[in-house]
Amino acid sequence: MNTMLKALTAATAATLIATPILAQERQRVSGECRTEIIKLCGMDRSKIRACLRENFSKLSESCGKEVRAVQKARQEANKK
């Protein structure tokens, strides 16, 4: 019984630790979309947001959807 409780506690702790990490991984655009953004806006991360605001319509439809989904996921995560 004591061994079962320790195993359950360890599994629960691992899940609680892994959940934010997995959620963070889902808050990224695909490699193809990232490449598209870099071609459009360059590599300077401090300028990418402003560039995307100005040039969002120049992204492909699929990349635009990914960017919107990531924004929404990050906003939801920040509310918690």
Coordinates of all heavy atoms in Angstrom, one line a residue:
M1 N 0.8 -1.2 0.0 CA 0.0 0.0 0.0 C 0.9 1.3 0.0 O 0.6 2.2 -0.8 CB -0.9 0.0 1.2 CG -1.8 1.1 1.3 SD -3.2 1.0 0.2 CE -4.2 2.3 0.7
N2 N 1.9 1.3 0.8 CA 2.8 2.4 0.9 C 3.5 2.6 -0.4 O 3.7 3.8 -0.8 CB 3.8 2.2 2.1 CG 4.5 3.5 2.5 OD1 4.1 4.6 2.0 ND2 5.5 3.4 3.3
T3 N 3.9 1.6 -1.1 CA 4.6 1.7 -2.4 C 3.6 2.2 -3.4 O 4.0 3.1 -4.2 CB 5.1 0.3 -2.8 OG1 5.9 -0.2 -1.8 CG2 5.8 0.4 -4.1
M4 N 2.4 1.8 -3.4 CA 1.4 2.3 -4.3 C 1.2 3.8 -4.1 O 1.1 4.6 -5.1 CB 0.0 1.6 -4.1 CG 0.0 0.2 -4.6 SD -0.5 0.1 -6.3 CE -2.2 0.1 -6.3
L5 N 1.1 4.3 -2.9 CA 0.9 5.7 -2.6 C 2.1 6.5 -3.1 O 1.9 7.5 -3.7 CB 0.7 5.9 -1.1 CG 0.4 7.3 -0.6 CD1 -0.8 7.8 -1.3 CD2 0.3 7.3 0.9
K6 N 3.3 6.0 -2.9 CA 4.5 6.7 -3.4 C 4.5 6.8 -4.9 O 4.8 7.8 -5.5 CB 5.8 6.0 -2.9 CG 6.1 6.2 -1.4 CD 7.3 5.5 -1.0 CE 7.6 5.6 0.5 NZ 8.8 4.9 0.9
A7 N 4.1 5.7 -5.5 CA 4.1 5.7 -7.0 C 3.0 6.6 -7.5 O 3.3 7.4 -8.5 CB 3.8 4.3 -7.5
L8 N 1.9 6.7 -6.9 CA 0.8 7.6 -7.3 C 1.2 9.0 -7.1 O 1.0 9.9 -7.9 CB -0.5 7.3 -6.5 CG -1.7 8.1 -6.8 CD1 -2.1 8.0 -8.3 CD2 -2.9 7.7 -6.0
T9 N 1.9 9.3 -5.9 CA 2.4 10.6 -5.6 C 3.4 11.1 -6.7 O 3.4 12.2 -7.2 CB 3.0 10.7 -4.2 OG1 2.0 10.3 -3.3 CG2 3.4 12.1 -3.9
A10 N 4.3 10.2 -7.0 CA 5.3 10.5 -8.0 C 4.7 10.8 -9.4 O 5.1 11.7 -10.1 CB 6.4 9.4 -8.1
A11 N 3.7 10.0 -9.8 CA 3.1 10.1 -11.1 C 2.3 11.5 -11.1 O 2.4 12.2 -12.1 CB 2.1 9.0 -11.3
T12 N 1.7 11.8 -10.0 CA 0.9 13.1 -9.9 C 1.9 14.2 -10.0 O 1.6 15.2 -10.8 CB 0.1 13.1 -8.6 OG1 -0.8 12.0 -8.6 CG2 -0.7 14.4 -8.5
A13 N 3.0 14.2 -9.3 CA 4.0 15.3 -9.4 C 4.6 15.4 -10.8 O 4.7 16.5 -11.3 CB 5.1 15.0 -8.4
A14 N 4.9 14.3 -11.4 CA 5.4 14.4 -12.8 C 4.4 15.0 -13.7 O 4.8 15.8 -14.6 CB 5.8 13.0 -13.3
T15 N 3.1 14.7 -13.6 CA 2.1 15.3 -14.4 C 2.0 16.8 -14.2 O 1.9 17.5 -15.1 CB 0.7 14.6 -14.1 OG1 0.9 13.2 -14.4 CG2 -0.4 15.2 -15.0
L16 N 2.0 17.2 -12.9 CA 1.9 18.6 -12.6 C 3.1 19.4 -13.1 O 2.9 20.5 -13.6 CB 1.8 18.8 -11.1 CG 0.4 18.3 -10.5 CD1 0.5 18.4 -9.0 CD2 -0.7 19.1 -11.0
I17 N 4.2 18.8 -13.1 CA 5.4 19.4 -13.7 C 5.4 19.5 -15.2 O 5.8 20.5 -15.8 CB 6.7 18.7 -13.2 CG1 6.9 18.9 -11.7 CG2 8.0 19.2 -13.9 CD1 7.9 18.1 -11.0
A18 N 5.0 18.4 -15.8 CA 5.0 18.3 -17.3 C 3.9 19.2 -17.9 O 4.1 19.6 -19.1 CB 4.9 16.9 -17.7
T19 N 2.8 19.4 -17.3 CA 1.7 20.1 -17.9 C 2.0 21.4 -18.4 O 1.8 21.8 -19.6 CB 0.5 20.1 -17.0 OG1 0.1 18.8 -16.7 CG2 -0.7 20.9 -17.6
P20 N 2.7 22.3 -17.6 CA 3.0 23.6 -18.2 C 4.1 23.5 -19.3 O 4.0 24.3 -20.3 CB 3.6 24.4 -17.0 CG 3.2 23.6 -15.8 CD 3.0 22.2 -16.2
I21 N 5.0 22.6 -19.2 CA 6.0 22.4 -20.3 C 5.3 22.0 -21.6 O 5.6 22.6 -22.6 CB 7.0 21.4 -19.9 CG1 7.8 21.9 -18.7 CG2 7.9 21.0 -21.0 CD1 8.7 20.9 -18.0
L22 N 4.4 21.1 -21.5 CA 3.6 20.6 -22.7 C 2.8 21.8 -23.3 O 2.7 22.0 -24.5 CB 2.8 19.4 -22.4 CG 3.6 18.1 -22.1 CD1 2.6 17.0 -21.6 CD2 4.4 17.7 -23.3
A23 N 2.2 22.5 -22.4 CA 1.3 23.6 -22.8 C 2.2 24.7 -23.5 O 1.8 25.2 -24.5 CB 0.6 24.2 -21.6
Q24 N 3.4 24.9 -23.0 CA 4.2 25.9 -23.6 C 4.7 25.5 -25.0 O 4.7 26.3 -25.9 CB 5.5 26.1 -22.7 CG 6.3 27.3 -23.1 CD 7.4 27.5 -22.2 OE1 8.0 26.5 -21.6 NE2 7.8 28.7 -21.9
E25 N 4.9 24.2 -25.2 CA 5.3 23.7 -26.5 C 4.2 23.9 -27.5 O 4.4 24.1 -28.7 CB 5.7 22.2 -26.4 CG 7.0 22.0 -25.7 CD 7.4 20.5 -25.7 OE1 6.8 19.7 -26.4 OE2 8.3 20.2 -24.9
R26 N 3.0 23.8 -27.1 CA 1.8 24.0 -28.0 C 1.6 25.4 -28.4 O 0.9 25.7 -29.3 CB 0.5 23.4 -27.4 CG 0.5 21.9 -27.4 CD -0.9 21.4 -26.9 NE -1.1 21.8 -25.6 CZ -1.1 20.9 -24.6 NH1 -0.8 19.7 -24.8 NH2 -1.3 21.3 -23.3
Q27 N 2.3 26.3 -27.7 CA 2.1 27.7 -28.0 C 3.2 28.3 -28.9 O 3.7 29.4 -28.8 CB 2.2 28.5 -26.6 CG 1.0 28.2 -25.7 CD 1.1 29.0 -24.4 OE1 2.1 29.8 -24.2 NE2 0.2 28.8 -23.6
R28 N 3.5 27.4 -29.9 CA 4.5 27.9 -30.9 C 4.0 27.5 -32.3 O 3.2 26.6 -32.5 CB 5.8 27.1 -30.7 CG 6.5 27.5 -29.4 CD 7.8 26.8 -29.3 NE 8.5 27.2 -28.1 CZ 9.5 26.7 -27.6 NH1 10.1 25.7 -28.2 NH2 10.1 27.1 -26.5
V29 N 4.3 28.3 -33.2 CA 3.9 28.1 -34.6 C 4.8 27.0 -35.2 O 5.9 26.7 -34.7 CB 4.0 29.4 -35.5 CG1 3.0 30.4 -35.0 CG2 5.4 29.9 -35.5
S30 N 4.4 26.4 -36.3 CA 5.2 25.3 -36.9 C 6.5 25.9 -37.5 O 6.6 27.1 -37.7 CB 4.4 24.7 -38.0 OG 4.2 25.6 -39.1
G31 N 7.4 25.0 -37.8 CA 8.6 25.5 -38.5 C 8.4 26.2 -39.8 O 9.1 27.2 -40.1
E32 N 7.5 25.7 -40.6 CA 7.2 26.4 -41.8 C 6.7 27.8 -41.6 O 7.1 28.7 -42.3 CB 6.1 25.5 -42.6 CG 6.6 24.2 -43.1 CD 5.5 23.4 -43.7 OE1 4.4 23.8 -43.8 OE2 5.8 22.2 -44.1
C33 N 5.8 27.9 -40.7 CA 5.2 29.3 -40.4 C 6.3 30.2 -39.8 O 6.4 31.3 -40.2 CB 4.1 29.2 -39.4 SG 3.2 30.7 -39.1
R34 N 7.2 29.6 -39.0 CA 8.3 30.4 -38.4 C 9.2 30.9 -39.5 O 9.6 32.1 -39.5 CB 9.1 29.5 -37.4 CG 10.0 30.3 -36.6 CD 10.7 29.4 -35.5 NE 9.7 28.6 -34.8 CZ 9.8 27.3 -34.7 NH1 10.8 26.6 -35.2 NH2 8.8 26.6 -34.1
T35 N 9.5 30.0 -40.5 CA 10.3 30.4 -41.6 C 9.7 31.5 -42.4 O 10.3 32.5 -42.8 CB 10.6 29.2 -42.5 OG1 11.2 28.2 -41.8 CG2 11.4 29.6 -43.7
E36 N 8.4 31.4 -42.6 CA 7.6 32.5 -43.3 C 7.7 33.8 -42.6 O 7.9 34.9 -43.2 CB 6.2 32.0 -43.5 CG 5.3 32.9 -44.3 CD 3.9 32.4 -44.6 OE1 3.7 31.1 -44.4 OE2 3.1 33.2 -44.9
I37 N 7.6 33.8 -41.2 CA 7.6 35.0 -40.4 C 9.0 35.6 -40.5 O 9.2 36.8 -40.7 CB 7.2 34.7 -39.0 CG1 5.7 34.4 -38.9 CG2 7.5 35.9 -38.1 CD1 5.3 33.8 -37.6
I38 N 10.0 34.8 -40.5 CA 11.4 35.3 -40.5 C 11.7 35.9 -41.9 O 12.3 37.0 -42.0 CB 12.4 34.2 -40.2 CG1 12.3 33.8 -38.7 CG2 13.8 34.5 -40.6 CD1 13.1 32.5 -38.4
K39 N 11.2 35.3 -43.0 CA 11.4 35.9 -44.3 C 10.7 37.3 -44.4 O 11.2 38.2 -45.0 CB 10.8 35.0 -45.4 CG 11.7 33.8 -45.7 CD 11.1 32.9 -46.7 CE 11.9 31.7 -47.0 NZ 11.3 30.8 -48.0
L40 N 9.5 37.4 -43.8 CA 8.7 38.6 -43.8 C 9.3 39.7 -42.9 O 9.4 40.9 -43.2 CB 7.3 38.3 -43.5 CG 6.3 39.5 -43.5 CD1 6.1 40.0 -44.9 CD2 4.9 39.0 -42.9
C41 N 9.7 39.3 -41.7 CA 10.0 40.2 -40.6 C 11.4 40.2 -40.1 O 11.8 41.1 -39.3 CB 9.1 40.0 -39.4 SG 7.3 40.2 -39.7
G42 N 12.2 39.3 -40.5 CA 13.6 39.2 -40.1 C 13.8 38.4 -38.8 O 12.8 37.9 -38.3
M43 N 15.0 38.4 -38.3 CA 15.3 37.6 -37.1 C 15.2 38.4 -35.8 O 15.3 37.8 -34.7 CB 16.7 37.0 -37.3 CG 16.9 36.0 -38.4 SD 16.3 34.4 -38.0 CE 17.4 33.9 -36.8
D44 N 15.1 39.7 -35.8 CA 15.2 40.5 -34.6 C 13.8 40.3 -33.9 O 12.8 40.9 -34.3 CB 15.4 42.0 -35.0 CG 15.6 42.8 -33.8 OD1 15.3 42.4 -32.6 OD2 16.0 44.0 -34.0
R45 N 13.9 39.5 -32.8 CA 12.6 39.2 -32.1 C 12.0 40.5 -31.5 O 10.8 40.5 -31.3 CB 13.0 38.3 -30.9 CG 13.4 36.9 -31.5 CD 13.7 36.0 -30.4 NE 12.4 35.6 -29.7 CZ 12.3 34.7 -28.8 NH1 13.4 34.0 -28.4 NH2 11.2 34.4 -28.2
S46 N 12.7 41.5 -31.2 CA 12.1 42.7 -30.7 C 11.3 43.5 -31.7 O 10.4 44.3 -31.3 CB 13.2 43.7 -30.1 OG 14.0 44.1 -31.2
K47 N 11.5 43.2 -33.0 CA 10.7 43.9 -34.0 C 9.6 43.0 -34.7 O 8.8 43.5 -35.4 CB 11.7 44.3 -35.1 CG 12.7 45.3 -34.6 CD 13.6 45.8 -35.7 CE 14.6 46.8 -35.1 NZ 15.6 47.2 -36.1
I48 N 9.6 41.7 -34.3 CA 8.7 40.8 -35.0 C 7.2 41.1 -34.7 O 6.4 41.2 -35.6 CB 9.0 39.3 -34.7 CG1 10.3 38.9 -35.4 CG2 7.8 38.4 -35.1 CD1 10.8 37.5 -35.0
R49 N 6.9 41.5 -33.5 CA 5.5 41.8 -33.2 C 5.0 43.0 -34.0 O 3.9 42.9 -34.6 CB 5.3 42.1 -31.7 CG 5.3 40.9 -30.8 CD 4.9 41.2 -29.4 NE 5.1 40.0 -28.6 CZ 4.9 40.0 -27.3 NH1 4.6 41.1 -26.7 NH2 5.0 38.9 -26.6
A50 N 5.7 44.0 -34.0 CA 5.3 45.2 -34.8 C 5.2 44.9 -36.2 O 4.3 45.3 -36.9 CB 6.3 46.4 -34.5
C51 N 6.2 44.1 -36.7 CA 6.1 43.7 -38.1 C 4.9 42.9 -38.5 O 4.2 43.1 -39.5 CB 7.4 42.9 -38.5 SG 7.4 42.2 -40.1
L52 N 4.6 41.9 -37.6 CA 3.4 41.1 -37.8 C 2.1 42.0 -37.8 O 1.2 41.7 -38.5 CB 3.3 40.0 -36.8 CG 4.3 38.8 -37.1 CD1 4.2 37.8 -36.0 CD2 4.0 38.2 -38.4
R53 N 2.1 42.9 -36.9 CA 0.9 43.8 -36.8 C 0.7 44.6 -38.2 O -0.4 44.7 -38.7 CB 1.0 44.9 -35.7 CG 0.6 44.3 -34.4 CD 0.5 45.4 -33.3 NE 1.0 44.9 -32.1 CZ 2.1 45.2 -31.5 NH1 3.0 46.0 -32.0 NH2 2.5 44.6 -30.3
E54 N 1.8 45.0 -38.7 CA 1.8 45.8 -40.0 C 1.6 44.9 -41.2 O 1.0 45.3 -42.2 CB 3.0 46.6 -40.2 CG 3.2 47.7 -39.2 CD 4.6 48.4 -39.3 OE1 5.1 48.4 -40.4 OE2 5.0 49.0 -38.3
N55 N 2.1 43.7 -41.2 CA 2.1 42.8 -42.4 C 1.4 41.5 -42.2 O 1.6 40.6 -43.0 CB 3.6 42.5 -42.7 CG 4.4 43.8 -43.0 OD1 4.1 44.5 -43.9 ND2 5.4 44.1 -42.1
F56 N 0.5 41.4 -41.3 CA -0.2 40.2 -41.0 C -0.9 39.6 -42.3 O -0.9 38.4 -42.5 CB -1.2 40.3 -39.9 CG -1.9 39.0 -39.5 CD1 -1.2 38.2 -38.6 CD2 -3.1 38.7 -40.0 CE1 -1.8 37.0 -38.3 CE2 -3.7 37.5 -39.6 CZ -3.1 36.6 -38.8
S57 N -1.5 40.5 -43.0 CA -2.2 40.1 -44.2 C -1.3 39.5 -45.3 O -1.8 38.8 -46.2 CB -2.9 41.3 -44.9 OG -2.0 42.3 -45.3
K58 N 0.0 39.7 -45.2 CA 1.0 39.1 -46.1 C 1.3 37.6 -45.8 O 1.9 36.9 -46.6 CB 2.2 39.9 -46.2 CG 2.0 41.3 -46.7 CD 3.3 42.1 -46.7 CE 3.0 43.5 -47.2 NZ 4.2 44.4 -47.2
L59 N 0.9 37.1 -44.6 CA 1.2 35.8 -44.3 C 0.2 34.8 -45.0 O -0.9 35.3 -45.4 CB 1.0 35.5 -42.8 CG 1.9 36.2 -41.8 CD1 1.5 36.0 -40.4 CD2 3.3 35.6 -42.0
S60 N 0.7 33.6 -45.2 CA -0.3 32.7 -45.9 C -1.4 32.4 -44.9 O -1.3 32.7 -43.7 CB 0.5 31.3 -46.1 OG 0.8 30.7 -44.9
E61 N -2.5 31.9 -45.5 CA -3.7 31.7 -44.6 C -3.4 30.8 -43.5 O -3.8 31.0 -42.3 CB -4.9 31.2 -45.5 CG -6.2 31.0 -44.7 CD -7.3 30.5 -45.6 OE1 -7.2 30.6 -46.9 OE2 -8.3 30.1 -45.1
S62 N -2.7 29.7 -43.8 CA -2.4 28.7 -42.7 C -1.5 29.3 -41.6 O -1.7 29.0 -40.4 CB -1.8 27.4 -43.3 OG -0.6 27.7 -43.9
C63 N -0.5 30.0 -42.0 CA 0.4 30.6 -41.0 C -0.4 31.7 -40.2 O -0.2 31.8 -39.0 CB 1.6 31.3 -41.7 SG 2.8 31.9 -40.6
G64 N -1.2 32.5 -40.8 CA -2.0 33.4 -40.1 C -2.9 32.8 -39.1 O -3.0 33.3 -37.9
K65 N -3.5 31.6 -39.4 CA -4.3 30.9 -38.5 C -3.5 30.4 -37.3 O -3.9 30.5 -36.1 CB -5.0 29.7 -39.2 CG -6.2 30.2 -40.0 CD -6.8 29.0 -40.7 CE -8.0 29.4 -41.6 NZ -8.6 28.2 -42.3
E66 N -2.3 29.9 -37.6 CA -1.4 29.5 -36.5 C -1.0 30.6 -35.6 O -1.1 30.4 -34.4 CB -0.1 28.9 -37.1 CG -0.3 27.5 -37.7 CD 1.1 26.9 -38.0 OE1 2.0 26.8 -37.2 OE2 1.3 26.5 -39.2
V67 N -0.7 31.7 -36.1 CA -0.3 32.9 -35.3 C -1.5 33.3 -34.4 O -1.3 33.5 -33.2 CB 0.1 34.1 -36.2 CG1 0.3 35.3 -35.4 CG2 1.4 33.7 -36.9
R68 N -2.7 33.3 -35.0 CA -3.9 33.7 -34.2 C -4.1 32.7 -33.1 O -4.4 33.0 -31.9 CB -5.1 33.8 -35.0 CG -5.1 35.0 -36.0 CD -5.4 36.2 -35.2 NE -5.6 37.3 -36.2 CZ -5.1 38.5 -35.9 NH1 -4.5 38.8 -34.8 NH2 -5.2 39.5 -36.8
A69 N -4.0 31.4 -33.4 CA -4.2 30.3 -32.4 C -3.2 30.4 -31.3 O -3.5 30.2 -30.1 CB -4.1 28.9 -33.1
V70 N -1.9 30.7 -31.6 CA -0.9 30.8 -30.6 C -1.2 32.1 -29.7 O -1.1 32.0 -28.5 CB 0.5 31.0 -31.2 CG1 1.6 31.4 -30.2 CG2 0.9 29.6 -31.8
Q71 N -1.6 33.2 -30.3 CA -1.9 34.4 -29.5 C -3.1 34.0 -28.5 O -3.0 34.4 -27.4 CB -2.4 35.5 -30.4 CG -1.2 36.1 -31.2 CD -1.8 37.2 -32.2 OE1 -2.9 37.1 -32.7 NE2 -0.9 38.2 -32.5
K72 N -4.1 33.4 -29.0 CA -5.2 33.0 -28.2 C -4.8 32.1 -27.0 O -5.2 32.3 -25.9 CB -6.3 32.4 -29.0 CG -7.6 32.1 -28.2 CD -8.6 31.5 -29.1 CE -9.9 31.3 -28.3 NZ -11.0 30.7 -29.1
A73 N -4.0 31.1 -27.3 CA -3.5 30.1 -26.3 C -2.7 30.8 -25.3 O -2.8 30.6 -24.1 CB -2.7 29.0 -27.0
R74 N -1.9 31.8 -25.7 CA -1.0 32.5 -24.7 C -1.9 33.4 -23.8 O -1.6 33.6 -22.7 CB 0.1 33.3 -25.4 CG 1.1 32.4 -26.0 CD 2.2 33.2 -26.7 NE 3.3 32.2 -27.1 CZ 4.2 32.6 -27.9 NH1 4.4 33.8 -28.3 NH2 5.1 31.7 -28.3
Q75 N -2.9 34.0 -24.4 CA -3.8 34.9 -23.7 C -4.5 34.1 -22.6 O -4.7 34.5 -21.5 CB -4.7 35.6 -24.6 CG -4.1 36.7 -25.4 CD -5.0 37.3 -26.5 OE1 -6.1 36.7 -26.7 NE2 -4.6 38.4 -27.1
E76 N -5.0 32.9 -23.0 CA -5.7 32.0 -22.1 C -4.8 31.6 -21.0 O -5.2 31.5 -19.8 CB -6.3 30.8 -22.8 CG -7.4 31.2 -23.8 CD -8.6 31.8 -23.1 OE1 -9.0 31.3 -22.0 OE2 -9.2 32.8 -23.6
A77 N -3.6 31.2 -21.3 CA -2.6 30.7 -20.3 C -2.3 31.9 -19.3 O -2.1 31.6 -18.1 CB -1.3 30.2 -21.0
N78 N -2.2 33.1 -19.8 CA -1.9 34.2 -18.9 C -3.0 34.6 -18.0 O -2.8 35.2 -17.0 CB -1.5 35.4 -19.7 CG -0.2 35.3 -20.4 OD1 0.7 34.5 -19.9 ND2 0.1 36.0 -21.5
K79 N -4.3 34.1 -18.3 CA -5.4 34.4 -17.4 C -5.4 33.5 -16.2 O -6.0 33.8 -15.2 CB -6.7 34.2 -18.2 CG -7.0 35.3 -19.2 CD -8.3 35.0 -19.9 CE -8.6 36.0 -21.0 NZ -9.8 35.7 -21.7
K80 N -4.7 32.4 -16.3 CA -4.7 31.4 -15.2 C -3.9 31.8 -14.1 O -3.0 32.5 -14.1 CB -4.3 30.0 -15.8 CG -5.3 29.5 -16.8 CD -4.9 28.2 -17.3 CE -5.9 27.7 -18.3 NZ -5.5 26.4 -18.9

